[in-house]
PDB file of all heavy atoms in Angstrom:
ATOM      1  N   LEU Y 104      21.067   9.382 -33.261  1.00 91.00           N
ATOM      2  CA  LEU Y 104      21.830   9.574 -32.044  1.00 91.00           C
ATOM      3  C   LEU Y 104      21.398  10.839 -31.318  1.00 91.00           C
ATOM      4  O   LEU Y 104      20.984  11.827 -31.938  1.00 91.00           O
ATOM      5  CB  LEU Y 104      23.356   9.705 -32.419  1.00 91.00           C
ATOM      6  CG  LEU Y 104      23.989   8.344 -32.854  1.00 91.00           C
ATOM      7  CD1 LEU Y 104      25.351   8.705 -33.275  1.00 91.00           C
ATOM      8  CD2 LEU Y 104      23.989   7.454 -31.636  1.00 91.00           C
ATOM      9  N   GLU Y 105      21.414  10.815 -30.001  1.00 91.00           N
ATOM     10  CA  GLU Y 105      21.011  12.008 -29.220  1.00 91.00           C
ATOM     11  C   GLU Y 105      22.313  12.429 -28.463  1.00 91.00           C
ATOM     12  O   GLU Y 105      23.259  11.678 -28.258  1.00 91.00           O
ATOM     13  CB  GLU Y 105      19.897  11.724 -28.339  1.00 91.00           C
ATOM     14  CG  GLU Y 105      18.626  11.261 -28.999  1.00 91.00           C
ATOM     15  CD  GLU Y 105      17.528  10.763 -28.083  1.00 91.00           C
ATOM     16  OE1 GLU Y 105      17.822  10.618 -26.896  1.00 91.00           O
ATOM     17  OE2 GLU Y 105      16.462  10.490 -28.636  1.00 91.00           O
ATOM     18  N   GLU Y 106      22.241  13.693 -27.878  1.00 89.00           N
ATOM     19  CA  GLU Y 106      23.351  14.252 -27.201  1.00 89.00           C
ATOM     20  C   GLU Y 106      23.761  13.362 -26.075  1.00 89.00           C
ATOM     21  O   GLU Y 106      22.920  12.776 -25.305  1.00 89.00           O
ATOM     22  CB  GLU Y 106      22.946  15.607 -26.596  1.00 89.00           C
ATOM     23  CG  GLU Y 106      22.916  16.736 -27.684  1.00 89.00           C
ATOM     24  CD  GLU Y 106      24.121  17.043 -28.372  1.00 89.00           C
ATOM     25  OE1 GLU Y 106      25.238  16.980 -27.853  1.00 89.00           O
ATOM     26  OE2 GLU Y 106      24.000  17.596 -29.442  1.00 89.00           O
ATOM     27  N   GLY Y 107      25.044  13.018 -25.950  1.00 85.00           N
ATOM     28  CA  GLY Y 107      25.514  12.191 -24.928  1.00 85.00           C
ATOM     29  C   GLY Y 107      25.399  10.655 -25.030  1.00 85.00           C
ATOM     30  O   GLY Y 107      25.850   9.841 -24.338  1.00 85.00           O
ATOM     31  N   GLU Y 108      24.679  10.283 -26.156  1.00 84.00           N
ATOM     32  CA  GLU Y 108      24.441   8.866 -26.410  1.00 84.00           C
ATOM     33  C   GLU Y 108      25.510   8.171 -26.983  1.00 84.00           C
ATOM     34  O   GLU Y 108      26.242   8.676 -27.973  1.00 84.00           O
ATOM     35  CB  GLU Y 108      23.149   8.728 -27.284  1.00 84.00           C
ATOM     36  CG  GLU Y 108      22.788   7.242 -27.564  1.00 84.00           C
ATOM     37  CD  GLU Y 108      21.640   7.122 -28.500  1.00 84.00           C
ATOM     38  OE1 GLU Y 108      21.228   8.167 -29.094  1.00 84.00           O
ATOM     39  OE2 GLU Y 108      21.039   6.020 -28.572  1.00 84.00           O
ATOM     40  N   LYS Y 109      25.930   6.971 -26.547  1.00 81.00           N
ATOM     41  CA  LYS Y 109      26.987   6.188 -27.111  1.00 81.00           C
ATOM     42  C   LYS Y 109      26.337   4.815 -27.258  1.00 81.00           C
ATOM     43  O   LYS Y 109      26.193   4.029 -26.327  1.00 81.00           O
ATOM     44  CB  LYS Y 109      28.178   6.151 -26.233  1.00 81.00           C
ATOM     45  CG  LYS Y 109      29.415   5.434 -26.830  1.00 81.00           C
ATOM     46  CD  LYS Y 109      29.941   6.242 -27.898  1.00 81.00           C
ATOM     47  CE  LYS Y 109      31.298   5.583 -28.289  1.00 81.00           C
ATOM     48  NZ  LYS Y 109      31.941   6.317 -29.548  1.00 81.00           N
ATOM     49  N   ASP Y 110      25.904   4.481 -28.463  1.00 85.00           N
ATOM     50  CA  ASP Y 110      25.178   3.243 -28.697  1.00 85.00           C
ATOM     51  C   ASP Y 110      26.024   2.243 -29.367  1.00 85.00           C
ATOM     52  O   ASP Y 110      26.201   2.259 -30.566  1.00 85.00           O
ATOM     53  CB  ASP Y 110      23.879   3.619 -29.537  1.00 85.00           C
ATOM     54  CG  ASP Y 110      22.922   2.357 -29.623  1.00 85.00           C
ATOM     55  OD1 ASP Y 110      23.386   1.165 -29.467  1.00 85.00           O
ATOM     56  OD2 ASP Y 110      21.731   2.577 -29.715  1.00 85.00           O
ATOM     57  N   ILE Y 111      26.613   1.292 -28.513  1.00 88.00           N
ATOM     58  CA  ILE Y 111      27.563   0.369 -29.046  1.00 88.00           C
ATOM     59  C   ILE Y 111      26.861  -0.657 -30.051  1.00 88.00           C
ATOM     60  O   ILE Y 111      27.429  -0.937 -31.130  1.00 88.00           O
ATOM     61  CB  ILE Y 111      28.234  -0.465 -27.958  1.00 88.00           C
ATOM     62  CG1 ILE Y 111      28.807   0.508 -26.888  1.00 88.00           C
ATOM     63  CG2 ILE Y 111      29.135  -1.483 -28.468  1.00 88.00           C
ATOM     64  CD1 ILE Y 111      29.919   1.324 -27.476  1.00 88.00           C
ATOM     65  N   PHE Y 112      25.621  -1.050 -29.712  1.00 90.00           N
ATOM     66  CA  PHE Y 112      25.019  -2.089 -30.570  1.00 90.00           C
ATOM     67  C   PHE Y 112      24.775  -1.464 -31.931  1.00 90.00           C
ATOM     68  O   PHE Y 112      24.970  -2.115 -32.930  1.00 90.00           O
ATOM     69  CB  PHE Y 112      23.753  -2.502 -29.944  1.00 90.00           C
ATOM     70  CG  PHE Y 112      23.878  -3.295 -28.734  1.00 90.00           C
ATOM     71  CD1 PHE Y 112      23.374  -2.792 -27.407  1.00 90.00           C
ATOM     72  CD2 PHE Y 112      24.621  -4.437 -28.628  1.00 90.00           C
ATOM     73  CE1 PHE Y 112      23.543  -3.480 -26.263  1.00 90.00           C
ATOM     74  CE2 PHE Y 112      24.870  -5.214 -27.495  1.00 90.00           C
ATOM     75  CZ  PHE Y 112      24.280  -4.694 -26.291  1.00 90.00           C
ATOM     76  N   ARG Y 113      24.199  -0.322 -31.975  1.00 91.00           N
ATOM     77  CA  ARG Y 113      23.874   0.236 -33.337  1.00 91.00           C
ATOM     78  C   ARG Y 113      25.178   0.653 -34.120  1.00 91.00           C
ATOM     79  O   ARG Y 113      25.206   0.510 -35.324  1.00 91.00           O
ATOM     80  CB  ARG Y 113      22.943   1.471 -33.207  1.00 91.00           C
ATOM     81  CG  ARG Y 113      21.605   1.041 -32.792  1.00 91.00           C
ATOM     82  CD  ARG Y 113      20.474   2.156 -32.955  1.00 91.00           C
ATOM     83  NE  ARG Y 113      20.910   3.398 -32.207  1.00 91.00           N
ATOM     84  CZ  ARG Y 113      20.257   4.480 -32.393  1.00 91.00           C
ATOM     85  NH1 ARG Y 113      19.313   4.680 -33.339  1.00 91.00           N
ATOM     86  NH2 ARG Y 113      20.571   5.516 -31.705  1.00 91.00           N
ATOM     87  N   SER Y 114      26.258   1.029 -33.360  1.00 92.00           N
ATOM     88  CA  SER Y 114      27.543   1.274 -34.030  1.00 92.00           C
ATOM     89  C   SER Y 114      28.012   0.046 -34.713  1.00 92.00           C
ATOM     90  O   SER Y 114      28.502   0.135 -35.807  1.00 92.00           O
ATOM     91  CB  SER Y 114      28.367   1.770 -32.919  1.00 92.00           C
ATOM     92  OG  SER Y 114      29.696   1.953 -33.416  1.00 92.00           O
ATOM     93  N   GLN Y 115      27.826  -1.039 -34.087  1.00 92.00           N
ATOM     94  CA  GLN Y 115      28.327  -2.354 -34.616  1.00 92.00           C
ATOM     95  C   GLN Y 115      27.375  -2.779 -35.801  1.00 92.00           C
ATOM     96  O   GLN Y 115      27.937  -3.182 -36.802  1.00 92.00           O
ATOM     97  CB  GLN Y 115      28.283  -3.443 -33.530  1.00 92.00           C
ATOM     98  CG  GLN Y 115      29.378  -3.326 -32.561  1.00 92.00           C
ATOM     99  CD  GLN Y 115      30.794  -3.339 -33.143  1.00 92.00           C
ATOM    100  OE1 GLN Y 115      31.046  -4.208 -33.966  1.00 92.00           O
ATOM    101  NE2 GLN Y 115      31.606  -2.430 -32.719  1.00 92.00           N
ATOM    102  N   GLU Y 116      26.166  -2.447 -35.727  1.00 93.00           N
ATOM    103  CA  GLU Y 116      25.264  -2.724 -36.815  1.00 93.00           C
ATOM    104  C   GLU Y 116      25.534  -1.940 -38.044  1.00 93.00           C
ATOM    105  O   GLU Y 116      25.593  -2.449 -39.165  1.00 93.00           O
ATOM    106  CB  GLU Y 116      23.700  -2.550 -36.392  1.00 93.00           C
ATOM    107  CG  GLU Y 116      23.139  -3.468 -35.523  1.00 93.00           C
ATOM    108  CD  GLU Y 116      21.754  -3.164 -35.097  1.00 93.00           C
ATOM    109  OE1 GLU Y 116      21.332  -2.002 -35.461  1.00 93.00           O
ATOM    110  OE2 GLU Y 116      21.112  -4.026 -34.399  1.00 93.00           O
ATOM    111  N   TYR Y 117      25.889  -0.589 -37.772  1.00 94.00           N
ATOM    112  CA  TYR Y 117      26.293   0.208 -38.859  1.00 94.00           C
ATOM    113  C   TYR Y 117      27.551  -0.211 -39.544  1.00 94.00           C
ATOM    114  O   TYR Y 117      27.584  -0.282 -40.809  1.00 94.00           O
ATOM    115  CB  TYR Y 117      26.467   1.713 -38.288  1.00 94.00           C
ATOM    116  CG  TYR Y 117      26.697   2.672 -39.334  1.00 94.00           C
ATOM    117  CD1 TYR Y 117      25.620   3.326 -40.016  1.00 94.00           C
ATOM    118  CD2 TYR Y 117      28.038   3.121 -39.709  1.00 94.00           C
ATOM    119  CE1 TYR Y 117      25.874   4.244 -40.848  1.00 94.00           C
ATOM    120  CE2 TYR Y 117      28.211   4.085 -40.627  1.00 94.00           C
ATOM    121  CZ  TYR Y 117      27.094   4.629 -41.281  1.00 94.00           C
ATOM    122  OH  TYR Y 117      27.324   5.461 -42.284  1.00 94.00           O
ATOM    123  N   LYS Y 118      28.518  -0.661 -38.778  1.00 94.00           N
ATOM    124  CA  LYS Y 118      29.817  -1.064 -39.397  1.00 94.00           C
ATOM    125  C   LYS Y 118      29.563  -2.406 -40.124  1.00 94.00           C
ATOM    126  O   LYS Y 118      30.101  -2.583 -41.211  1.00 94.00           O
ATOM    127  CB  LYS Y 118      30.706  -1.309 -38.227  1.00 94.00           C
ATOM    128  CG  LYS Y 118      32.169  -1.520 -38.723  1.00 94.00           C
ATOM    129  CD  LYS Y 118      33.156  -1.572 -37.517  1.00 94.00           C
ATOM    130  CE  LYS Y 118      34.516  -1.918 -38.044  1.00 94.00           C
ATOM    131  NZ  LYS Y 118      35.447  -1.977 -36.894  1.00 94.00           N
ATOM    132  N   TYR Y 119      28.715  -3.369 -39.591  1.00 93.00           N
ATOM    133  CA  TYR Y 119      28.407  -4.575 -40.313  1.00 93.00           C
ATOM    134  C   TYR Y 119      27.623  -4.256 -41.559  1.00 93.00           C
ATOM    135  O   TYR Y 119      27.832  -4.880 -42.637  1.00 93.00           O
ATOM    136  CB  TYR Y 119      27.520  -5.411 -39.290  1.00 93.00           C
ATOM    137  CG  TYR Y 119      27.044  -6.749 -39.830  1.00 93.00           C
ATOM    138  CD1 TYR Y 119      27.988  -7.598 -40.397  1.00 93.00           C
ATOM    139  CD2 TYR Y 119      25.744  -7.159 -39.761  1.00 93.00           C
ATOM    140  CE1 TYR Y 119      27.602  -8.868 -40.804  1.00 93.00           C
ATOM    141  CE2 TYR Y 119      25.353  -8.420 -40.241  1.00 93.00           C
ATOM    142  CZ  TYR Y 119      26.299  -9.229 -40.788  1.00 93.00           C
ATOM    143  OH  TYR Y 119      25.902 -10.482 -41.250  1.00 93.00           O
TER     144      TYR Y 119
END
Side-chain angles (χ1 to χ4, degrees):
L104 287 172
E105 298 172 358
E106 291 295 336
E108 179 182 16
K109 187 74 171 173
D110 192 330
I111 304 297
F112 294 119
R113 290 196 300 165
S114 174
Q115 289 299 316
E116 284 177 355
Y117 185 86
K118 191 173 178 179
Y119 181 50

